[in-house]
Amino acid sequence: MTDRRRINGPAGGTVPPVFANPLTSSNLPTRSRAAADLQKIFLKTGLTPSASGSAYLEIEQPSASPGEDALFNLFQSSLKLTCTVHGPRPLPRSTPFTSNVLLSTHVKFAPFATRERRGYLRDTSERDLAVHLETALRGIIVGDRWPKSGVEIIVTILEGEEDHCWPGDSNNSDDTLQISAASGMMSILSGCITVASAAIVNAGLDSVDLVTGGVAAIVRKTSVPAGSGHDPHVILDPKFSEHREVLASCVIGYIQSRDEITELWMKGGTPSSPEASSDERNGITLLIDGAVQAATAARHVLVEAIKESVEYKTLQMKPIS
């Protein structure tokens, strides 16, 4: 007869848990790409039938190099965004007359997007991203085509890039941590601009051209002493968790056909770079030029995704013989 008050152990054998070694300065993930190489982007349009236009963007998760711990991917995050466009639709009668379309943007982190669980109400960082996104998109939409109408653009961040490698690097200075805190938001804003541009085209809204986001940063090499002249250098499309010290970062919204910048957000100090001559360009110009190169490269992915969507719609419109 068994004792009903006793909690019996499992019938089979058990194995004690084995915990992964914590990340230290010797096994932190580092950038394996060249300074001008970009991360691979996946972009797809037309995934939300109920919306006027929609798009999905994902950046490939970096793989561990042969010399790194295979578990380091657990401490990094990728970027996954969805965007839906609703409208243009008429505004309420109580709204004052406007000759241009009323554009409203909303950026929201999913509760599971980051390691620290997000709330359901929008915070200040999400509102700030929405303002930057609206500024970037307002330069491409032809607003006078829809008087007294509204267009709503909603970007949901399913997974957002972290500012530093978890559980963090305590060796960085306070100034570097403050710069890195905003740098992660810059990568997210760059993806928001690109995915929103794809969703706008998918919705059939009249626009002057495509706008894409690009990010560049000035980082310091850890293997070179801080006082060396050739230490700071510009990198394109940075993943900020792979760098120990970020001196400055910049994100732009770029229209290639007009060579026009619709959005510019810069953080940190930009020391003069030895890559440029003393009388030609300084660190700020190099940083902006790097962001323009990254935005131009992202445009190729955006164009191919739009072409694929147009070809799919054309096949659906053909009558079946």
Side-chain angles (χ1 to χ4, degrees):
M1 183 176 180
T2 59
D3 188 357
R4 298 181 180 179
R5 298 180 181 180
R6 185 184 300 275
I7 300 177
N8 298 322
T14 59
V15 179
V18 179
F19 299 96
N21 296 327
L23 291 180
T24 60
S25 58
S26 60
N27 60 357
L28 281 174
T30 57
R31 181 185 176 101
S32 58
R33 297 175 285 124
D37 291 347
L38 306 181
Q39 302 179 84
K40 295 182 180 179
I41 302 175
F42 173 79
L43 184 60
K44 187 74 173 180
T45 60
L47 299 181
T48 308
S50 59
S52 302
S54 60
Y56 171 78
L57 182 142
E58 180 177 350
I59 293 181
E60 184 186 25
Q61 179 79 6
S63 58
S65 60
E68 292 177 335
D69 190 355
L71 294 176
F72 90 102
N73 280 333
L74 299 176
F75 303 97
Q76 284 190 316
S77 57
S78 181
L79 182 64
K80 299 177 183 178
L81 306 172
T82 61
C83 179
T84 56
V85 177
H86 303 274
R89 49 194 177 189
L91 297 174
R93 294 184 178 181
S94 59
T95 305
F97 176 79
T98 173
S99 59
N100 294 327
V101 65
L102 182 61
L103 178 64
S104 60
T105 57
H106 302 273
V107 179
K108 185 70 182 72
F109 280 89
F112 49 83
T114 57
R115 292 185 178 90
E116 294 183 2
R117 188 171 180 82
R118 291 271 182 166
Y120 292 95
L121 299 179
R122 291 199 304 166
D123 56 13
T124 56
S125 62
E126 294 168 338
R127 294 190 183 94
D128 193 21
L129 287 175
V131 172
H132 286 290
L133 179 61
E134 181 180 351
T135 305
L137 299 179
R138 194 172 291 277
I140 64 168
I141 296 179
V142 184
D144 55 357
R145 298 290 179 86
W146 304 281
K148 202 178 180 182
S149 300
V151 174
E152 188 176 9
I153 300 176
I154 303 174
V155 178
T156 304
I157 303 172
L158 302 178
E159 185 176 353
E161 290 188 357
E162 299 290 342
D163 302 326
H164 54 272
C165 187
W166 184 80
D169 186 4
S170 58
N171 296 327
N172 291 336
S173 61
D174 295 338
D175 296 337
T176 305
L177 290 176
Q178 292 176 2
I179 296 173
S180 180
S183 300
M185 288 294 180
M186 289 184 175
S187 297
I188 294 175
L189 177 60
S190 174
C192 290
I193 294 174
T194 304
V195 72
S197 180
I200 288 174
V201 175
N202 184 251
L205 300 180
D206 294 339
S207 56
V208 296
D209 194 14
L210 302 174
V211 59
T212 53
V215 187
I218 297 179
V219 300
R220 189 185 301 276
K221 296 180 180 179
T222 56
S223 59
V224 181
S228 61
H230 295 274
D231 181 17
H233 63 290
V234 179
I235 59 173
L236 308 184
D237 193 18
K239 193 173 182 63
F240 295 96
S241 60
E242 298 176 345
H243 302 282
R244 301 284 298 279
E245 188 173 357
V246 180
L247 301 180
S249 55
C250 172
V251 58
I252 65 168
Y254 183 66
I255 302 177
Q256 185 180 12
S257 63
R258 294 189 172 188
D259 194 17
E260 179 181 344
I261 294 177
T262 60
E263 166 64 18
L264 174 62
W265 183 16
M266 186 176 296
K267 182 74 173 179
T270 54
S272 298
S273 175
E275 299 175 5
S277 60
S278 58
D279 57 345
E280 289 182 356
R281 298 188 296 181
N282 54 15
I284 296 178
T285 306
L286 283 176
L287 192 60
I288 296 177
D289 289 347
V292 169
Q293 295 179 17
T296 304
R299 179 186 171 91
H300 296 293
V301 180
L302 178 58
V303 170
E304 292 298 328
I306 293 175
K307 286 182 179 180
E308 181 181 354
S309 176
V310 171
E311 292 176 357
Y312 179 74
K313 289 183 178 180
T314 304
L315 293 176
Q316 286 185 333
M317 294 175 60
K318 288 183 179 181
I320 301 177
S321 57

